[in-house]
């Protein structure tokens, strides 16, 4: 995949695969095109030359997609969460989770089933007792879990997460990491996420790509062992520290 804005090339020859049920992290300096890559995959930006394929279906072959209905259908393959929670303050946690699915379902007779599924997701998130709470009544970690539940409600094939935990303090982030590792294994989530947090990338991913340069290109690929599921204590191991030193060196920060 390539992407330019006018005469400025932002991404060059980006090529990688993501296996079902696996997690891939992308790390890179500011300006290397990380967020642009996610926006291209979700068709919020028009990709340049290249190809995007999901489960054998070619979503993009280098030809610009301009039909809005076609774009909406392609976006259903992906669920995108930015670093801000973007919850609607006037809606409860349950309403935030189910709103997008309700808007796509014209038959109101099916809304009860949608709400039931939303409650099930909140229960998985440990938030069943917060279903009727508004965002301002929730902690930062709880708001992030509601945002992720909203994503799961649409049942995307792949989650695209842009620094999803960066707004959380260190202790809350540790708790969310523990929770998200359990969710990845329980729901067999397929995840592509951007992060500046090297520890987070090593802990949560099966593979890490280092994006570097301008235009951004893939400078290195690392496969993280042991494979998931892992415990949070993995972050205290010598193997973990070796990965961190290697990534810092690749980023030129050693």
């Amino acid at each position: 995949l390539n992407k330019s804005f006018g005469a400025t090339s932002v991404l060059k020859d980006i090529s990688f695969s993501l296996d079902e049920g696996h997690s891939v992290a992308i790390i890179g300096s500011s300006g290397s095109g990380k967020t642009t890559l996610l926006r291209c995959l979700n068709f919020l930006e028009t990709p340049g030359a290249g190809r995007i394929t999901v489960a054998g279906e070619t979503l993009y072959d280098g030809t610009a997609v301009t039909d809005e209905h076609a774009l909406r259908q392609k976006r259903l393959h992906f669920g995108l969460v930015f670093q801000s929670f973007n919850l609607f303050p006037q809606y409860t946690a349950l309403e935030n989770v189910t709103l997008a699915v309700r808007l796509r379902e014209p038959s109101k007779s099916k809304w009860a089933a949608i709400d039931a599924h939303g409650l099930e997701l909140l229960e998985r998130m440990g938030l069943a007792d917060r279903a009727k709470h508004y965002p301002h009544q929730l902690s930062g970690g709880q708001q992030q879990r509601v945002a992720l539940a909203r994503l799961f409600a649409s049942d995307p094939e792949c989650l695209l997460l842009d620094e999803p935990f960066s707004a959380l303090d260190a202790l809350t982030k540790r708790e969310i990491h523990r929770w998200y590792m359990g969710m990845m294994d329980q729901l067999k989530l397929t995840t592509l996420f951007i992060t500046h947090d090297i520890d987070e990338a090593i802990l949560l991913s099966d593979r890490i790509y280092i994006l570097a340069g301008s235009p951004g290109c893939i400078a290195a690929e690392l496969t993280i062992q042991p494979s998931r599921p892992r415990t949070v204590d993995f972050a205290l191991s010598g193997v973990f520290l070796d990965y961190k030193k290697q990534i810092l060196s690749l980023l030129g920060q050693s």
Side-chain angles (χ1 to χ4, degrees):
L1 199 71
N2 294 274
K3 173 63 180 174
S4 297
F5 291 103
T8 303
S9 179
V10 179
L11 296 170
K12 182 179 180 182
D13 299 334
I14 303 296
S15 182
F16 64 89
S17 62
L18 174 54
D19 296 328
E20 185 176 5
H22 282 217
S23 176
V24 164
I26 295 179
I27 300 177
S29 59
S30 296
S32 58
K34 302 182 300 299
T35 296
T36 298
L37 174 59
L38 289 198
R39 291 177 64 86
C40 284
L41 291 175
N42 202 47
F43 295 94
L44 293 175
E45 298 286 355
T46 301
R51 182 181 299 271
I52 300 171
T53 303
V54 176
E57 178 185 350
T58 298
L59 301 186
Y60 181 75
D61 61 3
T63 304
V65 182
T66 56
D67 180 73
E68 191 58 39
H69 175 73
L71 285 172
R72 285 197 297 269
Q73 292 302 115
K74 294 177 188 297
R75 287 173 185 145
L76 292 177
H77 291 277
F78 300 100
L80 179 59
V81 168
F82 293 106
Q83 52 189 289
S84 58
F85 308 135
N86 288 331
L87 298 179
F88 293 102
Q90 70 271 35
Y91 295 132
T92 65
L94 178 60
E95 289 167 340
N96 267 284
V97 169
T98 59
L99 180 62
V101 183
R102 279 186 173 220
L103 289 174
R104 293 201 302 268
E105 178 51 69
S107 176
K108 292 186 178 182
S109 64
K110 297 182 179 180
W111 285 9
I114 291 172
D115 285 348
H117 181 53
L119 279 171
E120 179 186 341
L121 287 170
L122 286 175
E123 185 172 0
R124 284 178 180 265
M125 306 289 167
L127 294 174
D129 60 340
R130 298 290 191 272
K132 295 184 178 180
H133 285 56
Y134 291 90
H136 73 273
Q137 298 173 306
L138 304 173
S139 69
Q142 290 170 339
Q143 289 182 46
Q144 185 60 286
R145 279 184 278 168
V146 171
L148 288 166
R150 177 176 59 189
L151 195 64
F152 300 157
S154 298
D155 196 26
E157 292 167 77
C158 180
L159 308 183
L160 305 176
L161 310 180
D162 189 356
E163 299 199 54
F165 311 122
S166 63
L168 305 176
D169 63 76
L171 290 177
T172 303
K173 184 184 287 192
R174 180 179 172 85
E175 176 190 338
I176 287 289
H177 284 167
R178 190 191 305 273
W179 168 81
Y180 193 70
M181 283 192 293
M183 292 300 296
M184 283 195 294
D185 295 322
Q186 182 181 351
L187 299 179
K188 308 300 180 186
L189 301 178
T190 304
T191 307
L192 175 65
F193 71 98
I194 286 171
T195 181
H196 281 99
D197 186 330
I198 295 174
D199 289 20
E200 179 174 88
I202 300 170
L203 185 63
L204 299 183
S205 66
D206 299 290
R207 263 181 298 139
I208 296 174
Y209 289 101
I210 307 296
L211 209 61
S214 182
C217 60
I218 293 175
E221 174 187 349
L222 288 81
T223 300
I224 306 299
Q225 298 291 343
S227 58
R228 295 186 292 112
R230 305 186 189 108
T231 65
V232 175
D233 290 341
F234 173 57
L236 304 175
S237 68
V239 172
F240 187 97
L241 186 58
D242 288 340
Y243 280 125
K244 188 169 183 177
K245 289 177 180 177
Q246 186 177 357
I247 292 169
L248 286 170
S249 178
L250 289 167
L251 291 171
Q253 297 178 22
S254 59

